[in-house]
Amino acid sequence: MEWVSVKDRMPEEGVSVIIWDKQSVIPQIGSYMGNETGEELFSGYTECYVYVTHWMPLPEPPKEDQ
């Protein structure tokens, strides 16, 4: 998986992805909420992010041993 620039494309609305917000020091998990205020908006679990520069899909969950 590689980082995708928000200048190239946005993820599907409402789908959780890993996001890089330029005001944060660590990647976050959030979902794209659209552009209603003139800014691309991502919603995280505890806050909203407006300075997202890149995103990538979440990895597949681990498989449980049978």
Side-chain angles (χ1 to χ4, degrees):
M1 286 185 289
E2 300 210 6
W3 288 103
V4 178
S5 172
V6 296
K7 293 178 182 176
D8 294 336
R9 68 184 168 98
M10 302 303 285
E12 284 185 48
E13 285 189 36
V15 175
S16 292
V17 294
I18 301 170
I19 58 175
W20 183 261
D21 184 275
K22 65 184 176 182
Q23 290 193 335
S24 182
V25 294
I26 58 172
Q28 304 290 326
I29 294 177
S31 56
Y32 179 56
M33 304 307 290
N35 182 333
E36 295 182 16
T37 63
E39 295 178 318
E40 304 295 351
L41 179 64
F42 283 79
S43 176
Y45 292 111
T46 59
E47 61 185 284
C48 290
Y49 302 94
V50 295
Y51 301 107
V52 174
T53 61
H54 293 79
W55 63 275
M56 73 169 59
L58 291 172
E60 292 292 321
K63 303 225 186 286
E64 292 190 32
D65 295 331
Q66 295 292 328

Short mmCIF file of all heavy atoms in Angstrom, two decimals:
data_model
loop_
_atom_site.label_atom_id
_atom_site.label_comp_id
_atom_site.label_asym_id
_atom_site.label_seq_id
_atom_site.Cartn_x
_atom_site.Cartn_y
_atom_site.Cartn_z
N MET A 1 0.85 -1.18 0.00
CA MET A 1 0.00 0.00 0.00
C MET A 1 0.89 1.24 0.00
O MET A 1 1.92 1.26 0.64
CB MET A 1 -0.90 0.01 1.22
CG MET A 1 -2.03 -0.98 1.15
SD MET A 1 -3.15 -0.83 2.55
CE MET A 1 -2.13 -1.47 3.85
N GLU A 2 0.42 2.24 -0.69
CA GLU A 2 1.16 3.49 -0.76
C GLU A 2 0.23 4.64 -0.42
O GLU A 2 -0.99 4.55 -0.60
CB GLU A 2 1.75 3.67 -2.15
CG GLU A 2 2.70 2.55 -2.51
CD GLU A 2 3.78 3.02 -3.44
OE1 GLU A 2 3.85 4.22 -3.72
OE2 GLU A 2 4.54 2.16 -3.88
N TRP A 3 0.82 5.73 0.04
CA TRP A 3 0.06 6.94 0.33
C TRP A 3 -0.50 7.52 -0.96
O TRP A 3 0.18 7.54 -1.98
CB TRP A 3 0.95 7.98 1.01
CG TRP A 3 1.30 7.63 2.42
CD1 TRP A 3 2.49 7.14 2.85
CD2 TRP A 3 0.47 7.76 3.57
NE1 TRP A 3 2.44 6.94 4.21
CE2 TRP A 3 1.22 7.32 4.68
CE3 TRP A 3 -0.83 8.19 3.78
CZ2 TRP A 3 0.71 7.32 5.97
CZ3 TRP A 3 -1.33 8.18 5.08
CH2 TRP A 3 -0.57 7.75 6.15
N VAL A 4 -1.73 8.02 -0.91
CA VAL A 4 -2.37 8.67 -2.05
C VAL A 4 -2.54 10.14 -1.68
O VAL A 4 -3.07 10.47 -0.62
CB VAL A 4 -3.76 8.05 -2.34
CG1 VAL A 4 -4.44 8.77 -3.47
CG2 VAL A 4 -3.64 6.56 -2.60
N SER A 5 -2.09 11.03 -2.55
CA SER A 5 -2.26 12.46 -2.31
C SER A 5 -3.72 12.85 -2.51
O SER A 5 -4.37 12.38 -3.45
CB SER A 5 -1.38 13.26 -3.28
OG SER A 5 -1.68 14.64 -3.18
N VAL A 6 -4.23 13.73 -1.65
CA VAL A 6 -5.60 14.20 -1.83
C VAL A 6 -5.71 15.06 -3.09
O VAL A 6 -6.81 15.30 -3.57
CB VAL A 6 -6.11 14.97 -0.59
CG1 VAL A 6 -6.19 14.05 0.61
CG2 VAL A 6 -5.27 16.19 -0.29
N LYS A 7 -4.58 15.51 -3.63
CA LYS A 7 -4.59 16.24 -4.90
C LYS A 7 -4.87 15.30 -6.06
O LYS A 7 -5.40 15.73 -7.09
CB LYS A 7 -3.26 16.95 -5.12
CG LYS A 7 -3.00 18.06 -4.12
CD LYS A 7 -1.66 18.70 -4.36
CE LYS A 7 -1.40 19.79 -3.33
NZ LYS A 7 -0.07 20.37 -3.47
N ASP A 8 -4.54 14.01 -5.90
CA ASP A 8 -4.76 13.03 -6.96
C ASP A 8 -6.17 12.46 -6.93
O ASP A 8 -6.84 12.36 -7.95
CB ASP A 8 -3.74 11.90 -6.88
CG ASP A 8 -2.33 12.36 -7.15
OD1 ASP A 8 -2.15 13.40 -7.83
OD2 ASP A 8 -1.39 11.69 -6.68
N ARG A 9 -6.62 12.07 -5.75
CA ARG A 9 -7.99 11.56 -5.60
C ARG A 9 -8.33 11.42 -4.12
O ARG A 9 -7.46 11.37 -3.28
CB ARG A 9 -8.20 10.24 -6.33
CG ARG A 9 -7.45 9.07 -5.77
CD ARG A 9 -7.67 7.82 -6.65
NE ARG A 9 -6.75 6.77 -6.28
CZ ARG A 9 -7.04 5.77 -5.48
NH1 ARG A 9 -8.24 5.65 -4.96
NH2 ARG A 9 -6.13 4.85 -5.18
N MET A 10 -9.63 11.36 -3.86
CA MET A 10 -10.13 11.21 -2.49
C MET A 10 -10.68 9.80 -2.33
O MET A 10 -11.10 9.17 -3.30
CB MET A 10 -11.25 12.22 -2.23
CG MET A 10 -10.83 13.67 -2.43
SD MET A 10 -9.42 14.15 -1.42
CE MET A 10 -10.22 14.30 0.16
N PRO A 11 -10.68 9.30 -1.08
CA PRO A 11 -11.30 7.98 -0.86
C PRO A 11 -12.83 8.09 -0.96
O PRO A 11 -13.38 9.19 -1.00
CB PRO A 11 -10.87 7.64 0.57
CG PRO A 11 -10.62 8.95 1.22
CD PRO A 11 -10.14 9.88 0.13
N GLU A 12 -13.48 6.95 -0.97
CA GLU A 12 -14.95 6.95 -0.95
C GLU A 12 -15.43 7.59 0.34
O GLU A 12 -14.83 7.40 1.40
CB GLU A 12 -15.49 5.53 -1.00
CG GLU A 12 -15.44 4.88 -2.34
CD GLU A 12 -16.13 3.52 -2.29
OE1 GLU A 12 -17.25 3.43 -1.76
OE2 GLU A 12 -15.50 2.56 -2.76
N GLU A 13 -16.53 8.31 0.27
CA GLU A 13 -17.09 8.94 1.47
C GLU A 13 -17.53 7.87 2.46
O GLU A 13 -18.11 6.86 2.08
CB GLU A 13 -18.28 9.83 1.11
CG GLU A 13 -17.86 11.13 0.48
CD GLU A 13 -19.01 12.10 0.33
OE1 GLU A 13 -19.90 12.14 1.20
OE2 GLU A 13 -19.00 12.82 -0.68
N GLY A 14 -17.22 8.10 3.73
CA GLY A 14 -17.66 7.23 4.81
C GLY A 14 -16.85 5.97 5.02
O GLY A 14 -17.13 5.22 5.94
N VAL A 15 -15.83 5.73 4.19
CA VAL A 15 -14.99 4.54 4.33
C VAL A 15 -13.77 4.90 5.18
O VAL A 15 -13.08 5.88 4.89
CB VAL A 15 -14.55 4.01 2.95
CG1 VAL A 15 -13.58 2.86 3.10
CG2 VAL A 15 -15.75 3.60 2.14
N SER A 16 -13.48 4.12 6.22
CA SER A 16 -12.33 4.41 7.08
C SER A 16 -11.02 4.16 6.33
O SER A 16 -10.88 3.14 5.65
CB SER A 16 -12.37 3.54 8.33
OG SER A 16 -13.44 3.91 9.15
N VAL A 17 -10.10 5.10 6.47
CA VAL A 17 -8.78 5.02 5.85
C VAL A 17 -7.75 5.57 6.84
O VAL A 17 -8.10 6.22 7.82
CB VAL A 17 -8.71 5.82 4.52
CG1 VAL A 17 -9.60 5.21 3.46
CG2 VAL A 17 -9.05 7.28 4.74
N ILE A 18 -6.49 5.34 6.57
CA ILE A 18 -5.41 5.96 7.34
C ILE A 18 -5.17 7.33 6.72
O ILE A 18 -5.06 7.44 5.49
CB ILE A 18 -4.13 5.11 7.29
CG1 ILE A 18 -4.40 3.71 7.86
CG2 ILE A 18 -3.00 5.80 8.07
CD1 ILE A 18 -3.27 2.73 7.63
N ILE A 19 -5.12 8.37 7.54
CA ILE A 19 -4.93 9.72 7.01
C ILE A 19 -3.68 10.36 7.62
O ILE A 19 -3.29 10.05 8.75
CB ILE A 19 -6.16 10.62 7.25
CG1 ILE A 19 -6.50 10.71 8.75
CG2 ILE A 19 -7.34 10.12 6.47
CD1 ILE A 19 -7.63 11.66 9.08
N TRP A 20 -3.07 11.23 6.84
CA TRP A 20 -1.95 12.04 7.32
C TRP A 20 -2.40 13.49 7.31
O TRP A 20 -2.64 14.07 6.26
CB TRP A 20 -0.70 11.87 6.46
CG TRP A 20 0.43 12.64 7.03
CD1 TRP A 20 0.86 13.89 6.64
CD2 TRP A 20 1.24 12.28 8.14
NE1 TRP A 20 1.89 14.31 7.43
CE2 TRP A 20 2.15 13.33 8.37
CE3 TRP A 20 1.28 11.18 8.97
CZ2 TRP A 20 3.10 13.29 9.39
CZ3 TRP A 20 2.23 11.15 9.98
CH2 TRP A 20 3.11 12.19 10.18
N ASP A 21 -2.55 14.05 8.50
CA ASP A 21 -2.93 15.46 8.67
C ASP A 21 -1.65 16.23 8.97
O ASP A 21 -0.93 15.87 9.90
CB ASP A 21 -3.93 15.58 9.83
CG ASP A 21 -4.43 16.99 10.01
OD1 ASP A 21 -3.74 17.77 10.69
OD2 ASP A 21 -5.51 17.30 9.47
N LYS A 22 -1.36 17.27 8.21
CA LYS A 22 -0.08 17.96 8.37
C LYS A 22 0.09 18.64 9.71
O LYS A 22 1.18 19.06 10.05
CB LYS A 22 0.17 18.92 7.21
CG LYS A 22 -0.78 20.07 7.11
CD LYS A 22 -0.46 20.88 5.86
CE LYS A 22 -1.47 21.98 5.66
NZ LYS A 22 -1.18 22.73 4.44
N GLN A 23 -0.96 18.73 10.51
CA GLN A 23 -0.82 19.30 11.85
C GLN A 23 -0.69 18.23 12.92
O GLN A 23 -0.62 18.52 14.10
CB GLN A 23 -2.00 20.22 12.16
CG GLN A 23 -1.96 21.48 11.35
CD GLN A 23 -2.94 22.50 11.88
OE1 GLN A 23 -3.93 22.19 12.51
NE2 GLN A 23 -2.63 23.76 11.62
N SER A 24 -0.66 16.97 12.52
CA SER A 24 -0.53 15.86 13.47
C SER A 24 0.87 15.27 13.36
O SER A 24 1.54 15.43 12.36
CB SER A 24 -1.58 14.80 13.14
OG SER A 24 -1.51 13.75 14.05
N VAL A 25 1.28 14.57 14.39
CA VAL A 25 2.61 13.96 14.36
C VAL A 25 2.55 12.46 14.09
O VAL A 25 3.57 11.83 13.90
CB VAL A 25 3.38 14.21 15.68
CG1 VAL A 25 3.68 15.68 15.84
CG2 VAL A 25 2.60 13.70 16.87
N ILE A 26 1.34 11.89 14.08
CA ILE A 26 1.19 10.46 13.79
C ILE A 26 -0.02 10.28 12.86
O ILE A 26 -0.95 11.08 12.87
CB ILE A 26 0.99 9.62 15.07
CG1 ILE A 26 -0.24 10.09 15.84
CG2 ILE A 26 2.22 9.65 15.95
CD1 ILE A 26 -0.61 9.20 17.01
N PRO A 27 -0.01 9.23 12.05
CA PRO A 27 -1.18 8.96 11.21
C PRO A 27 -2.42 8.70 12.06
O PRO A 27 -2.31 8.23 13.19
CB PRO A 27 -0.78 7.70 10.43
CG PRO A 27 0.70 7.64 10.52
CD PRO A 27 1.06 8.27 11.83
N GLN A 28 -3.57 9.00 11.51
CA GLN A 28 -4.84 8.80 12.20
C GLN A 28 -5.73 7.92 11.34
O GLN A 28 -5.46 7.71 10.17
CB GLN A 28 -5.54 10.15 12.42
CG GLN A 28 -4.72 11.18 13.15
CD GLN A 28 -4.52 10.82 14.61
OE1 GLN A 28 -5.39 10.24 15.25
NE2 GLN A 28 -3.37 11.16 15.15
N ILE A 29 -6.82 7.44 11.92
CA ILE A 29 -7.84 6.74 11.15
C ILE A 29 -9.04 7.67 11.07
O ILE A 29 -9.48 8.22 12.07
CB ILE A 29 -8.22 5.40 11.78
CG1 ILE A 29 -7.03 4.46 11.73
CG2 ILE A 29 -9.43 4.78 11.05
CD1 ILE A 29 -7.26 3.12 12.39
N GLY A 30 -9.53 7.86 9.86
CA GLY A 30 -10.67 8.73 9.67
C GLY A 30 -11.39 8.35 8.40
O GLY A 30 -10.97 7.45 7.67
N SER A 31 -12.49 9.03 8.13
CA SER A 31 -13.23 8.78 6.91
C SER A 31 -13.54 10.11 6.24
O SER A 31 -13.77 11.12 6.90
CB SER A 31 -14.51 7.99 7.18
OG SER A 31 -15.32 8.66 8.12
N TYR A 32 -13.51 10.09 4.91
CA TYR A 32 -13.77 11.28 4.12
C TYR A 32 -15.24 11.65 4.21
O TYR A 32 -16.11 10.81 4.00
CB TYR A 32 -13.35 11.02 2.67
CG TYR A 32 -13.59 12.19 1.75
CD1 TYR A 32 -13.04 13.44 2.02
CD2 TYR A 32 -14.34 12.04 0.60
CE1 TYR A 32 -13.24 14.50 1.18
CE2 TYR A 32 -14.54 13.09 -0.26
CZ TYR A 32 -13.99 14.33 0.03
OH TYR A 32 -14.20 15.39 -0.81
N MET A 33 -15.53 12.90 4.54
CA MET A 33 -16.90 13.34 4.72
C MET A 33 -17.37 14.29 3.61
O MET A 33 -18.48 14.78 3.64
CB MET A 33 -17.06 14.02 6.08
CG MET A 33 -16.65 13.14 7.25
SD MET A 33 -17.43 11.51 7.27
CE MET A 33 -19.09 11.96 7.66
N GLY A 34 -16.50 14.59 2.67
CA GLY A 34 -16.90 15.44 1.55
C GLY A 34 -16.37 16.86 1.69
O GLY A 34 -15.57 17.18 2.57
N ASN A 35 -16.83 17.71 0.80
CA ASN A 35 -16.40 19.10 0.74
C ASN A 35 -17.63 19.99 0.80
O ASN A 35 -18.17 20.38 -0.22
CB ASN A 35 -15.61 19.33 -0.55
CG ASN A 35 -15.07 20.73 -0.66
OD1 ASN A 35 -15.61 21.67 -0.09
ND2 ASN A 35 -14.00 20.87 -1.41
N GLU A 36 -18.06 20.30 2.01
CA GLU A 36 -19.26 21.11 2.16
C GLU A 36 -18.95 22.55 2.53
O GLU A 36 -19.78 23.43 2.39
CB GLU A 36 -20.18 20.50 3.23
CG GLU A 36 -20.71 19.14 2.82
CD GLU A 36 -21.65 18.55 3.85
OE1 GLU A 36 -22.13 19.29 4.72
OE2 GLU A 36 -21.89 17.33 3.77
N THR A 37 -17.74 22.81 3.00
CA THR A 37 -17.39 24.15 3.47
C THR A 37 -16.28 24.78 2.65
O THR A 37 -15.70 25.77 3.06
CB THR A 37 -16.93 24.09 4.94
OG1 THR A 37 -15.74 23.29 5.00
CG2 THR A 37 -17.98 23.50 5.84
N GLY A 38 -15.96 24.19 1.50
CA GLY A 38 -14.84 24.69 0.71
C GLY A 38 -13.54 24.02 1.08
O GLY A 38 -12.51 24.29 0.50
N GLU A 39 -13.60 23.11 2.10
CA GLU A 39 -12.42 22.36 2.52
C GLU A 39 -12.77 20.89 2.52
O GLU A 39 -13.89 20.52 2.87
CB GLU A 39 -11.96 22.78 3.93
CG GLU A 39 -11.50 24.20 4.02
CD GLU A 39 -11.11 24.55 5.45
OE1 GLU A 39 -11.84 24.17 6.39
OE2 GLU A 39 -10.10 25.22 5.61
N GLU A 40 -11.80 20.08 2.14
CA GLU A 40 -12.01 18.64 2.23
C GLU A 40 -12.02 18.27 3.71
O GLU A 40 -11.13 18.66 4.45
CB GLU A 40 -10.89 17.89 1.50
CG GLU A 40 -10.71 18.28 0.05
CD GLU A 40 -11.90 17.94 -0.83
OE1 GLU A 40 -12.82 17.23 -0.39
OE2 GLU A 40 -11.91 18.40 -1.97
N LEU A 41 -13.00 17.54 4.15
CA LEU A 41 -13.18 17.24 5.57
C LEU A 41 -13.10 15.74 5.82
O LEU A 41 -13.75 14.96 5.15
CB LEU A 41 -14.53 17.76 6.06
CG LEU A 41 -14.87 17.52 7.52
CD1 LEU A 41 -13.90 18.25 8.44
CD2 LEU A 41 -16.29 17.96 7.81
N PHE A 42 -12.27 15.37 6.78
CA PHE A 42 -12.17 13.99 7.24
C PHE A 42 -12.60 13.96 8.69
O PHE A 42 -12.24 14.83 9.48
CB PHE A 42 -10.73 13.49 7.15
CG PHE A 42 -10.29 13.15 5.75
CD1 PHE A 42 -9.93 14.14 4.87
CD2 PHE A 42 -10.24 11.83 5.34
CE1 PHE A 42 -9.52 13.83 3.59
CE2 PHE A 42 -9.83 11.50 4.06
CZ PHE A 42 -9.47 12.50 3.18
N SER A 43 -13.37 12.96 9.05
CA SER A 43 -13.84 12.81 10.42
C SER A 43 -13.13 11.64 11.07
O SER A 43 -13.11 10.53 10.51
CB SER A 43 -15.35 12.57 10.43
OG SER A 43 -15.80 12.34 11.75
N GLY A 44 -12.52 11.88 12.22
CA GLY A 44 -11.88 10.82 12.98
C GLY A 44 -12.79 10.38 14.10
O GLY A 44 -13.95 10.80 14.19
N TYR A 45 -12.27 9.56 14.98
CA TYR A 45 -13.09 9.06 16.08
C TYR A 45 -13.35 10.13 17.14
O TYR A 45 -14.36 10.10 17.80
CB TYR A 45 -12.44 7.83 16.71
CG TYR A 45 -12.44 6.65 15.77
CD1 TYR A 45 -11.27 6.18 15.21
CD2 TYR A 45 -13.63 6.04 15.40
CE1 TYR A 45 -11.28 5.11 14.33
CE2 TYR A 45 -13.66 4.98 14.51
CZ TYR A 45 -12.48 4.52 13.98
OH TYR A 45 -12.48 3.48 13.10
N THR A 46 -12.42 11.07 17.28
CA THR A 46 -12.60 12.09 18.32
C THR A 46 -12.57 13.51 17.78
O THR A 46 -12.89 14.43 18.51
CB THR A 46 -11.51 11.97 19.40
OG1 THR A 46 -10.23 12.13 18.79
CG2 THR A 46 -11.59 10.63 20.11
N GLU A 47 -12.18 13.72 16.53
CA GLU A 47 -12.12 15.07 16.00
C GLU A 47 -12.21 15.05 14.48
O GLU A 47 -12.16 14.00 13.86
CB GLU A 47 -10.84 15.77 16.44
CG GLU A 47 -9.56 15.10 15.98
CD GLU A 47 -8.33 15.78 16.56
OE1 GLU A 47 -7.99 16.86 16.06
OE2 GLU A 47 -7.76 15.23 17.51
N CYS A 48 -12.32 16.25 13.90
CA CYS A 48 -12.33 16.40 12.45
C CYS A 48 -10.98 16.91 11.99
O CYS A 48 -10.31 17.64 12.71
CB CYS A 48 -13.43 17.36 12.02
SG CYS A 48 -15.07 16.68 12.25
N TYR A 49 -10.60 16.53 10.79
CA TYR A 49 -9.31 16.93 10.22
C TYR A 49 -9.54 17.67 8.92
O TYR A 49 -10.26 17.19 8.05
CB TYR A 49 -8.45 15.69 9.96
CG TYR A 49 -8.19 14.87 11.19
CD1 TYR A 49 -9.01 13.79 11.51
CD2 TYR A 49 -7.15 15.19 12.05
CE1 TYR A 49 -8.78 13.04 12.66
CE2 TYR A 49 -6.92 14.44 13.20
CZ TYR A 49 -7.73 13.38 13.49
OH TYR A 49 -7.51 12.65 14.62
N VAL A 50 -8.93 18.84 8.77
CA VAL A 50 -9.08 19.62 7.54
C VAL A 50 -7.74 19.82 6.83
O VAL A 50 -7.71 20.37 5.74
CB VAL A 50 -9.75 20.99 7.78
CG1 VAL A 50 -11.18 20.81 8.24
CG2 VAL A 50 -8.95 21.82 8.77
N TYR A 51 -6.65 19.37 7.44
CA TYR A 51 -5.33 19.55 6.84
C TYR A 51 -4.74 18.22 6.35
O TYR A 51 -3.54 18.02 6.39
CB TYR A 51 -4.38 20.21 7.83
CG TYR A 51 -4.87 21.57 8.29
CD1 TYR A 51 -5.38 21.75 9.56
CD2 TYR A 51 -4.85 22.65 7.42
CE1 TYR A 51 -5.85 22.98 9.97
CE2 TYR A 51 -5.32 23.88 7.82
CZ TYR A 51 -5.82 24.05 9.10
OH TYR A 51 -6.29 25.27 9.50
N VAL A 52 -5.61 17.32 5.90
CA VAL A 52 -5.16 16.02 5.40
C VAL A 52 -4.49 16.21 4.04
O VAL A 52 -5.05 16.86 3.15
CB VAL A 52 -6.33 15.03 5.31
CG1 VAL A 52 -5.91 13.74 4.64
CG2 VAL A 52 -6.91 14.77 6.69
N THR A 53 -3.28 15.67 3.91
CA THR A 53 -2.56 15.76 2.64
C THR A 53 -2.52 14.43 1.92
O THR A 53 -2.42 14.39 0.69
CB THR A 53 -1.12 16.25 2.86
OG1 THR A 53 -0.43 15.32 3.70
CG2 THR A 53 -1.10 17.63 3.48
N HIS A 54 -2.58 13.30 2.67
CA HIS A 54 -2.47 11.97 2.08
C HIS A 54 -3.35 10.99 2.84
O HIS A 54 -3.68 11.21 4.00
CB HIS A 54 -1.02 11.48 2.12
CG HIS A 54 -0.11 12.26 1.24
ND1 HIS A 54 0.38 13.49 1.60
CD2 HIS A 54 0.38 11.99 0.02
CE1 HIS A 54 1.15 13.95 0.63
NE2 HIS A 54 1.16 13.05 -0.34
N TRP A 55 -3.67 9.89 2.19
CA TRP A 55 -4.46 8.83 2.81
C TRP A 55 -4.04 7.50 2.18
O TRP A 55 -3.42 7.47 1.13
CB TRP A 55 -5.96 9.06 2.62
CG TRP A 55 -6.39 9.03 1.18
CD1 TRP A 55 -6.37 10.07 0.30
CD2 TRP A 55 -6.90 7.91 0.47
NE1 TRP A 55 -6.83 9.67 -0.92
CE2 TRP A 55 -7.16 8.33 -0.85
CE3 TRP A 55 -7.14 6.59 0.81
CZ2 TRP A 55 -7.66 7.47 -1.81
CZ3 TRP A 55 -7.64 5.73 -0.16
CH2 TRP A 55 -7.90 6.18 -1.45
N MET A 56 -4.38 6.39 2.85
CA MET A 56 -4.18 5.06 2.29
C MET A 56 -5.24 4.12 2.88
O MET A 56 -5.74 4.36 3.98
CB MET A 56 -2.77 4.51 2.54
CG MET A 56 -2.47 4.10 3.95
SD MET A 56 -0.92 3.18 4.15
CE MET A 56 0.29 4.30 3.55
N PRO A 57 -5.60 3.08 2.13
CA PRO A 57 -6.59 2.13 2.65
C PRO A 57 -6.07 1.43 3.90
O PRO A 57 -4.86 1.28 4.08
CB PRO A 57 -6.76 1.12 1.52
CG PRO A 57 -6.16 1.74 0.31
CD PRO A 57 -5.16 2.74 0.79
N LEU A 58 -6.99 1.00 4.74
CA LEU A 58 -6.63 0.19 5.90
C LEU A 58 -6.17 -1.18 5.41
O LEU A 58 -6.68 -1.69 4.40
CB LEU A 58 -7.83 0.00 6.83
CG LEU A 58 -8.30 1.24 7.57
CD1 LEU A 58 -9.61 0.93 8.29
CD2 LEU A 58 -7.26 1.70 8.56
N PRO A 59 -5.22 -1.80 6.09
CA PRO A 59 -4.82 -3.16 5.70
C PRO A 59 -5.93 -4.16 6.02
O PRO A 59 -6.84 -3.87 6.80
CB PRO A 59 -3.58 -3.43 6.57
CG PRO A 59 -3.74 -2.53 7.74
CD PRO A 59 -4.49 -1.32 7.25
N GLU A 60 -5.85 -5.33 5.42
CA GLU A 60 -6.78 -6.39 5.73
C GLU A 60 -6.59 -6.82 7.18
O GLU A 60 -5.46 -6.82 7.67
CB GLU A 60 -6.56 -7.60 4.81
CG GLU A 60 -6.91 -7.34 3.37
CD GLU A 60 -8.41 -7.15 3.18
OE1 GLU A 60 -9.19 -7.86 3.84
OE2 GLU A 60 -8.78 -6.28 2.36
N PRO A 61 -7.66 -7.17 7.89
CA PRO A 61 -7.50 -7.64 9.27
C PRO A 61 -6.76 -8.97 9.29
O PRO A 61 -6.76 -9.71 8.30
CB PRO A 61 -8.93 -7.79 9.77
CG PRO A 61 -9.77 -7.88 8.56
CD PRO A 61 -9.04 -7.17 7.46
N PRO A 62 -6.14 -9.32 10.42
CA PRO A 62 -5.43 -10.61 10.50
C PRO A 62 -6.42 -11.77 10.40
O PRO A 62 -7.58 -11.64 10.78
CB PRO A 62 -4.76 -10.56 11.86
CG PRO A 62 -5.47 -9.53 12.64
CD PRO A 62 -6.08 -8.57 11.66
N LYS A 63 -5.93 -12.85 9.90
CA LYS A 63 -6.75 -14.07 9.80
C LYS A 63 -6.52 -14.89 11.07
O LYS A 63 -5.39 -15.04 11.52
CB LYS A 63 -6.35 -14.87 8.58
CG LYS A 63 -6.46 -14.08 7.29
CD LYS A 63 -7.12 -14.90 6.23
CE LYS A 63 -7.12 -14.20 4.89
NZ LYS A 63 -8.02 -13.12 4.77
N GLU A 64 -7.60 -15.40 11.64
CA GLU A 64 -7.48 -16.22 12.84
C GLU A 64 -7.11 -17.64 12.48
O GLU A 64 -7.61 -18.18 11.48
CB GLU A 64 -8.78 -16.20 13.63
CG GLU A 64 -9.08 -14.84 14.23
CD GLU A 64 -10.23 -14.90 15.19
OE1 GLU A 64 -10.42 -15.96 15.85
OE2 GLU A 64 -10.94 -13.91 15.29
N ASP A 65 -6.25 -18.25 13.27
CA ASP A 65 -5.90 -19.65 13.06
C ASP A 65 -7.08 -20.53 13.43
O ASP A 65 -7.77 -20.28 14.42
CB ASP A 65 -4.68 -20.05 13.90
CG ASP A 65 -3.43 -19.32 13.46
OD1 ASP A 65 -3.35 -18.99 12.26
OD2 ASP A 65 -2.54 -19.10 14.31
N GLN A 66 -7.29 -21.55 12.67
CA GLN A 66 -8.42 -22.46 12.92
C GLN A 66 -7.98 -23.61 13.78
O GLN A 66 -6.99 -24.18 13.69
CB GLN A 66 -9.01 -22.96 11.62
CG GLN A 66 -9.62 -21.87 10.80
CD GLN A 66 -10.87 -21.27 11.44
OE1 GLN A 66 -11.63 -21.95 12.12
NE2 GLN A 66 -11.09 -19.99 11.25
#
